[in-house]
């Protein structure tokens, strides 16, 4: 029994991490009733900064550094992805917001193919096709107002863009890991992710632009109840970072662990319904499942490709 547990320890850690990430989303959903998605992101990253500073203080690392422009780009584009993700969390179902975020592997595969000349292969093309069909079923651009059961155009576009920006951020990490340890890359991300929403809230205190409410919003002092969920979001976020790091650290097969990470969409579907989200329509439900399936296929393909040196 103990041997089975040790063999699958990475999977167990990832399941725990997925539950914690889903709880971060649930806290953000509750907070969206009182404060803007930008303010939610600000608090999430401020707490993350404190956690990463503590983690770095415990590490000794010796790497060359460099690629400052790429490091800043990773922070900025990753923060933009968070702007869009937390806006989705605030305005559509929790499961739908997480499903859009899981489109990142589609864009990672396409970026690798177009710019790094990496081959896709039949399996990867199949995964992209399935995930793309899933996006269409969620957005439903082919349906008229009487039959449409997906998400509105604005949130659909922002959701897809959040996946694309996340893909750009994750792709840049491949190069940055040669020069910086992972905790330092994460620290730069949460630092920029704290500064940008702070600027957004300062601008939002003077200007209100409804069309850009996902980028600009004023600061609103949280209530006592909101502070409780802000602290909980920070705790769950820190625990998520610990367990996801442990998951990949002990995993025998990284592709299996990465595939298991998609279970957070399932958790968020249930949590969202508990928090008042409507149960997704049949087409949206199939679309979410298709994105999960396509993403798992792509993640397993990319992991095998990395092992083969591709």
């Amino acid at each position: 029994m103990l041997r089975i547990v040790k063999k699958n320890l990475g999977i167990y850690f990832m399941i725990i991490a997925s539950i914690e990430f889903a709880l971060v989303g649930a806290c953000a959903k509750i907070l969206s009733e009182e404060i803007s998605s930008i303010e939610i992101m600000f608090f999430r990253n401020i707490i993350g900064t404190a956690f990463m500073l503590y983690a770095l203080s415990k590490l000794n690392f010796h790497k060359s550094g460099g690629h400052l422009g790429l490091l800043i780009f990773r922070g900025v584009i990753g923060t933009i992805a968070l702007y869009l993700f937390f806006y989705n969390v605030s305005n559509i179902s929790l499961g739908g917001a997480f499903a859009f975020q899981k489109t990142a592997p589609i864009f990672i595969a396409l970026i690798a193919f177009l710019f790094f000349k990496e081959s896709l292969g039949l399996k990867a093309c199949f995964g992209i096709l399935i995930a793309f069909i899933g996006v269409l079923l969620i957005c439903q651009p082919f349906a008229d107002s009487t039959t449409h059961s997906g998400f509105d155009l604005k949130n659909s576009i922002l959701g897809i863009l959040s996946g694309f920006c996340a893909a750009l951020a994750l792709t840049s990490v491949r190069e940055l890991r040669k020069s910086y340890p992972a905790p330092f890359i994460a620290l730069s991300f949460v630092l920029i992710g704290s500064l940008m929403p702070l600027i957004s809230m300062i601008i939002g205190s003077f200007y209100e632009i409804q069309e850009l409410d996902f980028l600009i919003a004023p600061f609103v002092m949280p209530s006592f109840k909101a502070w409780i969920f802000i602290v909980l979001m920070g705790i769950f976020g820190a625990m998520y970072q610990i367990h996801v790091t442990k998951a990949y650290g002990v995993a025998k097969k990284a592709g299996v662990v990465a595939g298991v990470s998609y279970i957070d969409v399932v958790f968020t579907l249930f949590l969202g319904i508990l928090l008042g989200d409507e149960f997704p329509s049949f087409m949206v439900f199939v679309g979410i499942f298709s994105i999960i399936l396509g993403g798992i296929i792509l993640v397993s393909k990319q992991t095998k490709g990395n092992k083969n040196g591709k």
Side-chain angles (χ1 to χ4, degrees), residues 218-261:
F219 175 81
V220 175
M221 180 57 69
S223 66
F224 178 74
K225 173 189 172 183
W227 280 116
I228 292 174
F229 283 102
I230 287 169
V231 172
L232 286 173
M233 181 173 64
I235 292 171
F236 289 135
M239 290 171 65
Y240 164 77
Q241 291 292 343
I242 292 170
H243 286 124
V244 78
T245 302
K246 285 185 176 181
Y248 282 106
V250 303
K252 300 294 183 183
K253 295 182 179 180
V256 174
V257 171
V260 172
S261 71

Side-chain angles (χ1 to χ4, degrees), residues 242-287:
I242 292 170
H243 286 124
V244 78
T245 302
K246 285 185 176 181
Y248 282 106
V250 303
K252 300 294 183 183
K253 295 182 179 180
V256 174
V257 171
V260 172
S261 71
Y262 276 74
I263 199 172
D264 61 16
V265 180
V266 179
F267 292 140
T268 54
L269 275 172
F270 286 108
L271 284 173
I273 291 170
L274 289 175
L275 293 174
D277 287 345
E278 293 184 3
F279 193 84
S281 68
F282 176 75
M283 291 185 70
V284 170
F285 188 82
V286 173

Side-chain angles (χ1 to χ4, degrees), residues 31-43 197-198 200-206 208 216-227 230:
L31 287 168
S32 68
E33 299 173 0
E34 187 174 322
I35 59 179
S36 70
S37 58
I38 296 168
E39 192 170 338
I40 294 169
M41 181 178 67
F42 170 74
F43 283 120
L198 179 61
S200 292
M201 289 188 292
I202 292 172
I203 295 172
S205 299
F206 297 96
E208 183 178 351
I216 299 172
F219 175 81
V220 175
M221 180 57 69
S223 66
F224 178 74
K225 173 189 172 183
W227 280 116
I230 287 169

Side-chain angles (χ1 to χ4, degrees), residues 32-196:
S32 68
E33 299 173 0
E34 187 174 322
I35 59 179
S36 70
S37 58
I38 296 168
E39 192 170 338
I40 294 169
M41 181 178 67
F42 170 74
F43 283 120
R44 185 260 194 190
N45 286 333
I46 279 290
I47 296 171
T49 299
F51 171 74
M52 293 312 305
L53 284 171
Y54 174 77
L56 275 171
S57 69
K58 302 294 182 180
L59 295 177
N60 292 317
F61 55 87
H62 303 282
K63 288 202 173 186
S64 60
H67 296 96
L68 181 60
L70 186 61
L71 189 68
I72 294 172
F73 171 79
R74 186 264 186 269
V76 171
I77 202 69
T79 300
I80 292 173
L82 282 185
Y83 270 102
L84 307 179
F85 169 66
F86 277 107
Y87 186 83
N88 269 173
V89 167
S90 299
N91 290 278
I92 62 175
S93 71
L94 200 57
F98 272 69
F100 275 129
Q101 190 196 46
K102 296 298 185 181
T103 59
I106 306 174
F107 296 112
I108 290 173
L110 292 175
I111 290 168
F113 174 71
L114 293 172
F115 297 100
F116 299 104
K117 309 304 179 184
E118 294 184 9
S119 61
L120 282 176
L122 186 61
K123 184 178 179 180
C125 290
F126 182 60
I128 291 172
L129 177 62
I130 291 176
F132 180 70
I133 291 172
V135 172
L136 290 179
L137 291 174
I138 289 177
C139 302
Q140 297 176 22
F142 47 79
D144 58 34
S145 58
T146 58
T147 59
H148 196 282
S149 63
F151 302 123
D152 64 277
L153 181 61
K154 179 179 179 180
N155 277 289
S156 295
I157 292 174
L158 295 181
I160 294 168
L161 284 175
S162 73
F164 176 68
C165 291
L168 288 175
L170 291 168
T171 301
S172 66
V173 170
R174 286 202 308 184
E175 186 65 28
L176 287 170
R177 279 178 177 166
K178 300 174 184 176
S179 304
Y180 299 97
F184 189 86
I185 299 170
L187 174 63
S188 68
F189 167 52
V190 290
L191 277 173
I192 293 173
S194 301
L195 180 61
M196 286 176 63

